[in-house]
Amino acid sequence: MKRVLVLAAMTLGACEAPSEPRDAGADAPFASTTYYGEVRPILATHCEGCHVEGGIAPIPLDSYAAALPLAGRIAEVTRARTMPPFLADNEGGCNTYRDARWLSETEIATLESWARGGALEGDPGTPPPEPRELPHLHGDVRTLDIGVAYTPSTERPDDYRCFLVEPPATEDLYYVTGFDVHPGNARIAHHVIVFHPANDEAIAEARALEAMDETPGYECFGAAGVRAAAVAAWAPGGGATFFPDGTGVQLRGGRPLIVQMHYNTLASDGAPDRTRVDLEVATAGVSPGRFLPLADLALTLPARMEEVGWETTLRVADYTMVRTPFRVRGVFPHMHTLGRSLEIEVERADGSRSCLVDVPRWDFDWQMLYFYEGEGIEVRPDEPITIRCTYDTRTRDMETRWGEGTQDEMCVAGLFVTL
Ligand code: HEC
């Protein structure tokens, strides 16, 4: 294992996206862009999954009256690509992703020209855009139920809770081919991660944590608090997620799962939550996929640095039983709140590099699984894979180390692979 602590700002050549012309569509006369004409269809497709009354976003954007005072801000956040939330760069320099929440340059330019042209209304008689059909699960769907109506503590803005739930299958082995989450209280359910405990010991530890905690479930921040692998990650606004065609994550039947809830209580109406997680399950006819971890537990970050990097190079053959080439189909990147960027690349025998993921602006609040469009990327188990993370540690007085706590950090990814 090779590891490097990088103190200076890094130049990240291989994963940089090609710079596209920034003004595509900008010559259109501003005054011709109207809410009902061009803007409403963009907001309906890309924003209203969250920006509706009762949704996770604090402000609705589903009417002219609601969008008008925010026209300038909408143009800014879409240009900065902080909205819609999608952390992996989807420009094409380092892959493109399935179901990417990604605005085209033209759409961004349209929102800008609307703002600059005075955020005109246009014709309210324009027929509304077709409602967006959200993907949904089919076949054998099994439900994980956290079992209680939980009211998060509003003393803190964020409450992270883990719930041990009944096994969804009794078969020896089964595959999760897709998942969907139905929040009990959509105002506060910010993200959900489902974990598969590594063994009986991990299950016993999770039970003990639950028993010790006075409120339902147990507190957990960076992961499940016990040895467990993430199998599903959900953020609001999208409908069902499917593993790439014909693949599924292989799990052991009879084993309870752990559902981690991240509640953001800023918009809480005080109502409890009982979130339901649906798993689409199959027991045969699936091409087995699994998550290979890329992690370096030695991570140590000096305090008070505006930008500090950590980089590790690993070979899958060195720490797994995988001996044959595998195909990376997707990535689950993960850091905590100091994280700023994350990149992964593979070094090929001929010296060339393949970029697996480029997350230029990490945001702990938006943890998602990113599946590639297309067939994925073949990697040999002896090829060096480098994961690079950067952090801003200015808020810390002491060294920050690897760990699951709120004061700890991580630089880790799960590669979703098929063998
Ligand atoms: C997946 C859910 C989701 C989607 C989709 C989404 N937003 Fe947001 N948006 C949020 C949340 C949640 C916040 C509150 C701040 C935060 O948590 O980042 C927010 C905040 C904002 C803000 C206020 C932020 C600020 O700093 O002023 C604006 C403006 C905004 N979104 C615009 C948009 C636009 C425009 C779109 C579509 C192009 C969009 N959002 C799509 C969830 C979403």
Side-chain angles (χ1 to χ4, degrees):
M1 184 191 290
K2 184 186 83 189
R3 80 171 55 103
V4 192
L5 175 66
V6 191
L7 293 172
M10 298 184 302
T11 29
L12 310 172
C15 279
E16 247 160 45
S19 52
E20 276 204 18
R22 291 263 136 183
D23 56 354
D27 350 325
F30 302 150
S32 71
T33 310
T34 67
Y35 174 78
Y36 285 105
E38 295 83 14
V39 170
R40 180 166 66 169
I42 299 176
L43 301 184
T45 309
H46 297 283
C47 318
E48 288 175 18
C50 300
H51 287 273
V52 285
E53 197 53 56
I56 187 74
I59 33 169
L61 290 178
D62 55 354
S63 67
Y64 177 61
L68 171 66
L70 289 162
R73 196 70 195 134
I74 289 171
E76 280 168 28
V77 296
T78 51
R79 169 57 71 205
R81 292 206 179 275
T82 51
M83 285 287 148
F86 192 82
L87 308 184
D89 185 289
N90 193 57
E91 286 296 330
C94 176
N95 305 307
T96 53
Y97 301 87
R98 234 185 47 196
D99 304 322
R101 276 202 271 253
W102 196 258
L103 297 181
S104 67
E105 278 298 318
T106 314
E107 286 168 325
I108 295 173
T110 301
L111 295 173
E112 279 173 341
S113 92
W114 182 58
R116 278 190 262 152
L120 302 178
E121 180 172 16
D123 176 9
T126 312
E130 289 282 312
R132 198 162 57 115
E133 176 90 38
L134 290 178
H136 53 268
L137 303 178
H138 20 77
D140 185 354
V141 176
R142 310 205 187 164
T143 297
L144 305 178
D145 179 359
I146 63 173
V148 284
Y150 177 72
T151 308
S153 156
T154 45
E155 279 164 30
R156 328 166 252 197
D158 298 283
D159 187 351
Y160 301 89
R161 284 258 126 196
C162 278
F163 299 91
L164 202 59
V165 300
E166 289 305 311
T170 50
E171 296 89 347
D172 276 355
L173 287 176
Y174 66 103
Y175 303 91
V176 174
T177 54
F179 55 87
D180 199 359
V181 169
H182 303 280
N185 182 348
R187 285 172 183 272
I188 55 173
H190 203 299
H191 77 239
V192 179
I193 303 178
V194 179
F195 292 90
H196 183 235
N199 48 34
D200 290 343
E201 202 184 325
I203 299 167
E205 281 172 32
R207 288 203 200 289
L209 288 170
E210 258 190 354
M212 276 178 340
D213 205 302
E214 284 155 19
T215 43
Y218 62 94
E219 196 173 337
C220 59
F221 170 73
V226 299
R227 261 194 74 200
V231 295
W234 173 90
T241 302
F242 297 96
F243 285 91
D245 296 331
T247 67
V249 198
Q250 194 182 57
L251 302 182
R252 301 222 161 261
R255 210 176 266 188
L257 297 177
I258 298 170
V259 174
Q260 184 195 44
M261 298 291 313
H262 168 193
Y263 295 111
N264 185 284
T265 60
L266 290 177
S268 173
D269 52 2
D273 171 69
R274 181 168 180 170
T275 286
R276 205 179 89 214
V277 179
D278 285 343
L279 301 181
E280 189 185 273
V281 163
T283 50
V286 176
S287 134
R290 53 185 281 203
F291 284 96
L292 287 181
L294 288 178
D296 179 2
L297 276 53
L299 175 81
T300 310
L301 303 169
R304 291 184 291 274
M305 300 285 297
E306 185 171 346
E307 186 175 347
V308 56
W310 184 265
E311 149 174 349
T312 305
T313 301
L314 303 152
R315 286 175 181 77
V316 166
D318 291 344
Y319 62 97
T320 71
M321 304 296 280
V322 177
R323 293 293 174 267
T324 50
F326 52 90
R327 191 164 281 281
V328 183
R329 311 293 305 258
V331 184
F332 177 60
H334 181 72
M335 295 188 275
H336 291 178
T337 54
L338 302 181
R340 289 297 174 266
S341 69
L342 182 152
E343 269 194 301
I344 305 174
E345 60 179 26
V346 187
E347 196 183 319
R348 306 299 192 176
D350 65 1
S352 67
R353 288 163 182 274
S354 307
C355 185
L356 294 189
V357 75
D358 177 13
V359 176
R361 285 170 306 275
W362 171 252
D363 182 345
F364 181 76
D365 281 345
W366 296 103
Q367 303 201 36
M368 291 176 256
L369 255 164
Y370 299 91
F371 292 120
Y372 302 131
E373 278 186 319
E375 290 299 294
I377 300 164
E378 190 164 282
V379 178
R380 293 204 336 244
D382 60 342
E383 281 175 318
I385 306 180
T386 297
I387 176 166
R388 264 187 218 112
C389 299
T390 65
Y391 305 85
D392 177 347
T393 64
R394 282 176 294 176
T395 54
R396 296 289 164 88
D397 294 326
M398 291 193 313
E399 219 171 55
T400 301
R401 291 177 175 275
W402 177 277
E404 286 195 13
T406 51
Q407 296 295 305
D408 304 324
E409 263 303 332
M410 291 196 178
C411 173
V412 57
L415 301 181
F416 180 68
V417 306
T418 46
L419 297 179

